Amino acid sequence: MENLAIRRLDSTEQGFAAELRKVLAFEAGEDDAIDRAVAQILADVKARGDAAVLEYTQRFDRVEASSMAALEISPAKLEAALEELEPKRRAALETAAARVRAYHEKQKIECGSHSWEYTESDGTVLGQKVTPLDRVGIYVPGGKAAYPSSVLMNAIPARVAGVKEVIMVVPTPGGVRNELVLAAAQIAGVDRVFTIGGAQAVGALAYGTGSLPQVDKIVGPGNAYVAAAKRRVFGTVGIDMIAGPSEILVICDGTTDPDWVAMDLFSQAEHDELAQSILLCPDSNYLAQVEESIHRQLDSMPRRDVIRASLSGRGALIRVRDMDEACEIANAIAPEHLEISAENPRHWAEKIRHAGAIFLGRYTSESLGDYCAGPNHVLPTSRTARFSSPLGVYDFQKRSSLIEVSEQGAQMLGQIAAELAYGEGLQAHARSAEYRLRRN
Amino acid sequence: MENLAIRRLDSTEQGFAAELRKVLAFEAGEDDAIDRAVAQILADVKARGDAAVLEYTQRFDRVEASSMAALEISPAKLEAALEELEPKRRAALETAAARVRAYHEKQKIECGSHSWEYTESDGTVLGQKVTPLDRVGIYVPGGKAAYPSSVLMNAIPARVAGVKEVIMVVPTPGGVRNELVLAAAQIAGVDRVFTIGGAQAVGALAYGTGSLPQVDKIVGPGNAYVAAAKRRVFGTVGIDMIAGPSEILVICDGTTDPDWVAMDLFSQAEHDELAQSILLCPDSNYLAQVEESIHRQLDSMPRRDVIRASLSGRGALIRVRDMDEACEIANAIAPEHLEISAENPRHWAEKIRHAGAIFLGRYTSESLGDYCAGPNHVLPTSRTARFSSPLGVYDFQKRSSLIEVSEQGAQMLGQIAAELAYGEGLQAHARSAEYRLRRN
């Protein structure tokens, strides 16, 4: 058995800041060969539509289909996938979906999904109109990394936002379908499903083909080809973030069962070798207990090789001066997932400014949030929580400013606008405002 | 004098859809040489910080400065720029700023800038915490295209959102400063101003240097180098949109003074040769009057060469069947600016789903919105209004999910999460949830 050596750091030691930077460092390598291949596939799909998508799917996924229509999964088959699910699993998936829906319904209300306006004393009306996107595409990876929970997390907010049509694409390498993913699509209310993937699926969604209509936004995770394709079509359609490796940061005051915390670190590490699990604690004794637990529990994990690689390569157990310093470090890291496993977690959560999701208290394992607590599990990674948010209803809506200037309002505003327009050398702007002035 | 020939289309004629697509077609040409130069400048700024920024600024802007500190404009100089403004212009700028601030304060309330949470019957608490970004960078172009109104529109929403520090960069080619821009920065409450520009300024904001701290998001327009640099640093920091050429679509029922509408088309066309001005009207007689007015008024416009190029190259006067069809076409175009110059404009606005800003009624010229009505003038271009929104307070805030599962809640959620985690083959996720179950 290979050894697991997880890094131990101490915030009081010299060079700590530099050490921490090293642990966090991650450069999403851009692969020129992938990018060139993707550019060519996209151009081809744009030019030749269905025919190109069909050819790439036959070639890359070894799927024997004679037309794009043959790559669409009928509503009856989606329904059947759900019907054939084992009852316990179906109940779990439906309860999770109901909870995710309830949370996002609440979010729709609280986050300001209503149009609004106000009238000024001279009759001028200002406001903003909120409308859902017309049509959204959801990319779902195929093969082993196909997660039904991702289908729920991407499709349900779109549905709650009022998106008229949700189209899912999911590759089926070798023609193998993931029935759990199809059942999740049915529960989430996906309208159409195509068994296509890769850059060709992103191109089909972005440009539209004969059989697949152009969408307005593409969301969902994918491999390096999918990520490169999403970057390239951004602007033609909207995209969600390009996600980096998943991360968990646990702040613990040393009062939680060390086995629980070790398993929480495992649950992130098991995703892939690049996932990052970090623990901050003021108690070095406790850190030693967690380290012991990691070694003790590792062998019983089916995914121990991935966990070992992840914890050895990117994990860290860090002793901090106190819980206040832990919160400061958390803000600097801006983690995707932050567990505050401590007495009075609210007290510490107050000090957190940057995190994708905050899990409070020792009963709130990240895995509960991943599946069924209700909030979205699509979260900002790689310090992007400094400026971005969990996927939400707001990602499937947009706003239009409303401006209705009264005749009286145009007198006041016209003079200001003209003054500033002349200052900027834009005389047509000025004159257009002046035309609305009464000629006395 | 060169001729102005503006395209005339008719929606009832065969081939109209294809013609319209041709008018709208715009490919933001990606320039590999620019992109390579930008990649190199960014890498250099990242590696060498202040020294690199200083060298590029000396070389590209021909500015003689011996240090980055010498490139910062002191608060006293900003204050002086405001004090020395001509009183009428200062009053106009201050009134515009006050109106923009008032609109965005209202937006902050209506668009859901509050944190929220709810408690379930078993004590589990779910919600979302809203926080402002810590630090934002605003790019302001130098030279002739320097618009004080842009400073207001970019900085004020950040301030209203609660951003702690706003840093502005503005190049000063040949050392020439735009006092109006500096005065606007002072009015808008910008904290620090550096006279740097181009990819080197974007790099300084994105990575931070010795003298200029790293920001969390960069907003504001720029040339091709700035746009390429923003695309490249996206992910390290947030960015606003990469704007395409500006556009106006006017829907008119034929009851507005043709000179007014012609001038509204001019006000977009005068921005640059690639700007797009389109008029939709069911009355071909009226279209002829507007065309006549365009020819009659053109020569009196100081920027007539730009207007002529823009209207000839990308403008169109389109006869439509009726106002309903005009609204349908508007939704397909998803214009940045939409003027509904008609009786009962609200009736038609109801039918609009996609537009950056909607200007209702004949007194609402776009130029009033550009400067001082209150809503933001940074708007989605090139059909991106299908999925994106005006710049707003929401662009300077982000959300963190809050999940606090009670001991009782963990019993119910733990079983569901474990069931689904086993289904996805993620055993550490399952066990982490199961550890929270009571052992009976």
Side-chain angles (χ1 to χ4, degrees):
Chain A
M1 192 198 76
E2 267 182 76
N3 230 10
L4 186 163
I6 187 165
R7 217 178 265 96
R8 289 285 294 268
L9 300 179
D10 188 319
S11 72
T12 61
E13 280 175 15
Q14 228 192 343
F16 167 72
E19 277 297 313
L20 182 61
R21 261 200 306 279
K22 238 192 281 174
V23 173
L24 299 173
F26 175 77
E27 288 279 338
E30 277 179 33
D31 188 320
D32 272 351
I34 289 180
D35 197 45
R36 273 196 305 275
V38 163
Q40 203 247 302
I41 293 169
L42 290 176
D44 198 19
V45 169
K46 193 175 183 181
R48 298 196 300 127
D50 282 341
V53 176
L54 188 61
E55 284 171 29
Y56 287 115
T57 302
Q58 291 167 341
R59 192 193 318 168
F60 297 141
D61 293 341
R62 308 171 311 283
V63 168
E64 291 306 320
S66 55
S67 69
M68 267 292 270
L71 292 172
E72 183 166 3
I73 297 186
S74 68
K77 287 217 174 105
L78 295 180
E79 180 62 37
L82 180 58
E83 293 301 332
E84 284 158 25
L85 221 54
E86 197 219 324
K88 191 178 170 201
R89 193 144 288 172
R90 175 174 178 164
L93 210 50
E94 287 181 332
T95 305
R99 293 187 57 88
V100 171
R101 197 174 292 118
Y103 178 85
H104 288 85
E105 294 280 6
K106 185 79 179 166
Q107 184 181 65
K108 185 177 180 180
I109 296 165
E110 295 287 351
C111 291
S113 287
H114 57 280
S115 301
W116 52 274
E117 52 182 56
Y118 59 98
T119 306
E120 301 191 309
S121 60
D122 60 15
T124 291
V125 180
L126 303 172
Q128 215 164 29
K129 174 173 174 163
V130 183
T131 42
L133 275 60
D134 281 352
R135 191 184 289 124
V136 162
I138 296 180
Y139 191 96
V140 177
K144 285 179 213 155
Y147 294 143
S149 56
S150 282
V151 176
L152 302 184
M153 294 292 182
N154 280 282
I156 290 174
R159 273 282 84 110
V160 171
V163 170
K164 284 191 216 68
E165 190 172 17
V166 177
I167 299 180
M168 183 174 117
V169 294
V170 55
T172 53
V176 181
R177 294 178 183 180
N178 182 323
E179 296 297 321
L180 208 49
V181 160
L182 298 184
Q186 178 69 11
I187 290 173
V190 169
D191 294 296
R192 299 179 73 181
V193 178
F194 290 86
T195 56
I196 57 176
Q200 59 274 20
V202 174
L205 291 168
Y207 307 125
T209 68
S211 308
L212 195 158
Q214 182 188 38
V215 303
D216 299 302
K217 187 166 189 168
I218 302 174
V219 299
N223 63 18
Y225 288 86
V226 173
K230 279 169 68 183
R231 257 189 203 279
R232 282 195 165 263
V233 300
F234 173 57
T236 300
V237 294
I239 62 168
D240 58 349
M241 58 202 84
I242 308 279
S246 195
E247 316 143 12
I248 191 172
L249 179 69
V250 181
I251 295 179
C252 184
D253 60 3
T255 62
T256 305
D257 185 330
D259 284 355
W260 294 18
V261 169
M263 195 54 66
D264 295 353
L265 299 175
F266 281 5
S267 74
Q268 198 58 237
E270 76 175 339
H271 274 298
D272 74 87
E273 287 82 353
L274 289 173
Q276 183 153 64
S277 304
I278 296 177
L279 170 61
L280 305 180
C281 178
D283 178 351
S284 54
N285 232 336
Y286 182 81
L287 289 170
Q289 290 172 44
V290 172
E291 188 171 11
E292 182 278 322
S293 172
I294 287 173
H295 288 291
R296 175 166 38 81
Q297 296 195 89
L298 180 68
D299 280 346
S300 70
M301 302 312 302
R303 295 175 67 80
R304 56 187 165 270
D305 292 340
V306 178
I307 294 171
R308 185 184 298 115
S310 161
L311 291 185
S312 298
R314 304 204 69 223
L317 306 176
I318 304 178
R319 198 184 80 84
V320 291
R321 286 181 182 81
D322 50 34
M323 291 289 283
D324 277 303
E325 190 188 39
C327 293
E328 275 171 46
I329 293 174
N331 282 323
I333 293 177
E336 182 190 12
H337 305 97
L338 174 66
E339 270 187 28
I340 304 181
S341 202
E343 300 290 339
N344 197 6
R346 294 252 150 195
H347 174 73
W348 306 114
E350 290 291 322
K351 299 174 192 282
I352 300 300
R353 298 195 312 282
H354 311 305
I358 307 173
F359 299 79
L360 296 113
R362 64 177 58 93
Y363 283 96
T364 315
S365 70
E366 188 214 302
S367 60
L368 302 182
D370 285 345
Y371 289 108
C372 54
N376 211 289
H377 79 194
V378 181
L379 297 167
T381 59
S382 309
R383 288 192 74 219
T384 60
R386 282 151 49 236
F387 53 83
S388 52
S389 303
L391 189 71
V393 170
Y394 35 77
D395 289 301
F396 299 102
Q397 297 179 319
K398 39 35 179 220
R399 299 169 184 280
S400 304
S401 302
L402 289 176
I403 312 177
E404 183 170 21
V405 177
S406 67
E407 183 178 353
Q408 200 190 326
Q411 310 310 307
M412 182 264 293
L413 293 175
Q415 293 181 45
I416 298 168
E419 173 67 22
L420 294 173
Y422 284 124
E424 293 185 352
L426 296 175
Q427 298 86 0
H429 281 69
R431 213 179 286 175
S432 164
E434 287 170 342
Y435 276 174
R436 272 76 179 182
L437 299 178
R438 279 184 216 105
R439 290 169 187 131
N440 296 319
Chain B
M1 192 198 74
E2 268 181 75
N3 231 10
L4 185 165
I6 187 166
R7 216 178 264 98
R8 288 287 293 268
L9 300 179
D10 188 319
S11 71
T12 62
E13 280 176 15
Q14 229 193 341
F16 167 72
E19 278 296 315
L20 181 60
R21 260 199 307 280
K22 236 191 282 174
V23 173
L24 298 174
F26 175 77
E27 289 279 338
E30 276 177 35
D31 188 320
D32 273 350
I34 288 180
D35 198 44
R36 272 196 306 274
V38 163
Q40 203 247 300
I41 293 169
L42 290 176
D44 198 18
V45 169
K46 194 175 182 180
R48 297 196 301 125
D50 281 341
V53 176
L54 187 62
E55 283 169 31
Y56 287 115
T57 304
Q58 290 166 342
R59 192 192 319 167
F60 296 142
D61 293 341
R62 307 172 310 285
V63 168
E64 292 306 321
S66 55
S67 69
M68 267 292 269
L71 292 172
E72 183 165 3
I73 297 186
S74 69
K77 287 217 174 107
L78 295 179
E79 179 61 38
L82 180 58
E83 293 302 331
E84 282 158 26
L85 220 57
E86 197 219 323
K88 192 179 170 198
R89 193 144 288 172
R90 174 175 178 163
L93 210 51
E94 287 180 331
T95 305
R99 291 187 59 86
V100 171
R101 197 173 292 120
Y103 177 85
H104 288 85
E105 294 279 7
K106 185 80 178 163
Q107 184 181 65
K108 186 178 180 179
I109 295 165
E110 295 287 351
C111 291
S113 287
H114 57 281
S115 301
W116 52 274
E117 53 182 56
Y118 60 98
T119 306
E120 302 192 309
S121 59
D122 60 15
T124 290
V125 180
L126 302 172
Q128 217 163 29
K129 174 172 175 165
V130 183
T131 41
L133 276 60
D134 281 350
R135 192 183 288 123
V136 163
I138 296 180
Y139 191 96
V140 177
K144 284 178 213 155
Y147 295 143
S149 56
S150 283
V151 177
L152 301 185
M153 293 292 183
N154 280 282
I156 290 174
R159 272 283 81 113
V160 172
V163 171
K164 284 191 216 66
E165 189 172 18
V166 177
I167 299 180
M168 182 174 119
V169 295
V170 54
T172 52
V176 180
R177 294 177 182 180
N178 182 323
E179 296 297 322
L180 208 49
V181 160
L182 298 184
Q186 178 69 10
I187 290 173
V190 169
D191 294 295
R192 300 178 73 181
V193 177
F194 289 86
T195 56
I196 58 176
Q200 59 274 20
V202 174
L205 291 168
Y207 307 125
T209 69
S211 309
L212 195 157
Q214 181 187 38
V215 302
D216 299 303
K217 187 166 189 169
I218 302 174
V219 298
N223 63 17
Y225 287 86
V226 173
K230 279 169 67 182
R231 256 188 203 279
R232 282 194 165 264
V233 298
F234 173 57
T236 301
V237 295
I239 62 167
D240 59 349
M241 59 202 84
I242 307 279
S246 196
E247 317 143 11
I248 192 171
L249 179 69
V250 181
I251 295 180
C252 184
D253 60 2
T255 63
T256 306
D257 185 331
D259 285 354
W260 292 19
V261 168
M263 195 54 66
D264 295 353
L265 298 174
F266 281 6
S267 74
Q268 198 57 236
E270 76 176 337
H271 274 297
D272 73 87
E273 287 83 353
L274 289 172
Q276 182 151 64
S277 304
I278 297 177
L279 169 62
L280 305 179
C281 178
D283 178 351
S284 54
N285 232 335
Y286 182 80
L287 289 169
Q289 290 173 44
V290 172
E291 188 171 12
E292 182 278 323
S293 172
I294 285 173
H295 288 290
R296 175 166 38 80
Q297 296 195 88
L298 180 67
D299 279 347
S300 69
M301 303 312 301
R303 296 175 66 81
R304 58 187 164 269
D305 291 341
V306 177
I307 295 171
R308 185 185 298 115
S310 160
L311 291 184
S312 299
R314 305 203 69 223
L317 307 176
I318 304 177
R319 198 185 79 85
V320 290
R321 286 179 180 84
D322 50 33
M323 290 289 282
D324 277 303
E325 190 188 40
C327 293
E328 275 171 45
I329 293 174
N331 282 323
I333 292 177
E336 182 190 13
H337 305 97
L338 174 66
E339 270 187 30
I340 304 180
S341 202
E343 301 290 339
N344 197 5
R346 294 252 150 194
H347 174 73
W348 306 114
E350 289 291 322
K351 299 174 193 283
I352 300 300
R353 298 196 310 283
H354 311 304
I358 307 174
F359 300 78
L360 296 113
R362 63 177 59 93
Y363 283 95
T364 315
S365 69
E366 188 214 302
S367 59
L368 301 183
D370 285 344
Y371 289 108
C372 54
N376 211 288
H377 78 193
V378 180
L379 298 167
T381 59
S382 308
R383 289 191 73 220
T384 60
R386 283 153 46 239
F387 53 84
S388 51
S389 304
L391 189 71
V393 170
Y394 34 77
D395 288 301
F396 298 102
Q397 297 179 320
K398 43 24 181 228
R399 298 167 186 281
S400 304
S401 303
L402 288 177
I403 312 178
E404 183 171 18
V405 177
S406 67
E407 183 178 355
Q408 201 189 327
Q411 310 309 307
M412 182 264 292
L413 293 175
Q415 293 181 47
I416 299 168
E419 172 68 22
L420 295 173
Y422 284 124
E424 293 186 353
L426 296 175
Q427 297 87 359
H429 282 69
R431 214 178 289 176
S432 164
E434 287 171 340
Y435 276 174
R436 272 76 179 182
L437 299 180
R438 279 186 216 103
R439 290 167 188 134
N440 297 318

